[in-house]
Amino acid sequence: MDRRHKIKMCAYGSCREEFYAKGDRGRSRKYCDKCRPLVVLAIAKKSYYNNKANRLSKMAKYRSEHPIKTEKQKTATRQYNKIYREKNREILRAKALKAYHRKRLNKPQL
Ligand SMILES: [Zn+2]
């Protein structure tokens, strides 16, 4: 290797590849060109998981500014859901009643 420039060692995992420290900005850990994308990705992932609240608030803000549905559509879906829920409840009640009667009929007679 040419010794005119400073030589640094890659700090990613067990890479330990040597490279010239040209344009060095004085960060503590240095990475070779092969490992840098991985490191950048890892940092991005870490920040993504650490700033969950921030991310969610940003998303909520964006959604409030760019709504998918209008208020009219929202109320329509709410009403539909209400009807559907009641229907579903009736069905469940009927099923439960049926099961109850079946249980009673299948009881061994003493
Ligand atoms: Zn490396």
Side-chain angles (χ1 to χ4, degrees):
M1 250 181 147
D2 188 4
R3 297 276 162 184
R4 280 177 296 173
H5 297 285
K6 254 188 183 177
I7 288 165
K8 294 279 180 179
M9 203 182 265
C10 179
Y12 183 77
S14 58
C15 178
R16 302 284 175 266
E17 201 177 286
E18 292 191 328
F19 56 93
Y20 297 124
K22 268 195 271 183
D24 183 23
R25 284 184 229 151
R27 277 169 291 170
S28 59
R29 308 195 108 213
K30 310 287 185 266
Y31 306 101
C32 66
D33 291 338
K34 220 192 270 177
C35 300
R36 199 166 296 123
L38 298 170
V39 174
V40 168
L41 192 69
I43 290 165
K45 265 187 179 175
K46 210 175 172 185
S47 69
Y48 180 81
Y49 286 111
N50 286 345
N51 303 323
K52 193 179 179 186
N54 188 16
R55 199 171 73 240
L56 288 177
S57 72
K58 262 187 191 170
M59 272 162 66
K61 198 187 163 198
Y62 179 82
R63 265 293 144 247
S64 67
E65 283 166 8
H66 307 265
I68 296 164
K69 286 179 181 175
T70 58
E71 276 305 314
K72 204 178 170 187
Q73 284 169 323
K74 274 182 194 172
T75 48
T77 45
R78 250 174 242 139
Q79 276 175 347
Y80 173 79
N81 286 350
K82 210 176 171 185
I83 292 160
Y84 178 76
R85 216 176 290 133
E86 273 166 20
K87 269 187 191 170
N88 211 19
R89 247 181 227 145
E90 272 172 32
I91 290 162
L92 284 175
R93 215 173 284 139
K95 269 186 185 172
L97 205 67
K98 221 175 173 181
Y100 172 74
H101 284 303
R102 204 181 296 130
K103 220 176 181 181
R104 282 193 71 189
L105 286 172
N106 290 345
K107 251 186 191 172
Q109 303 258 320
L110 296 171

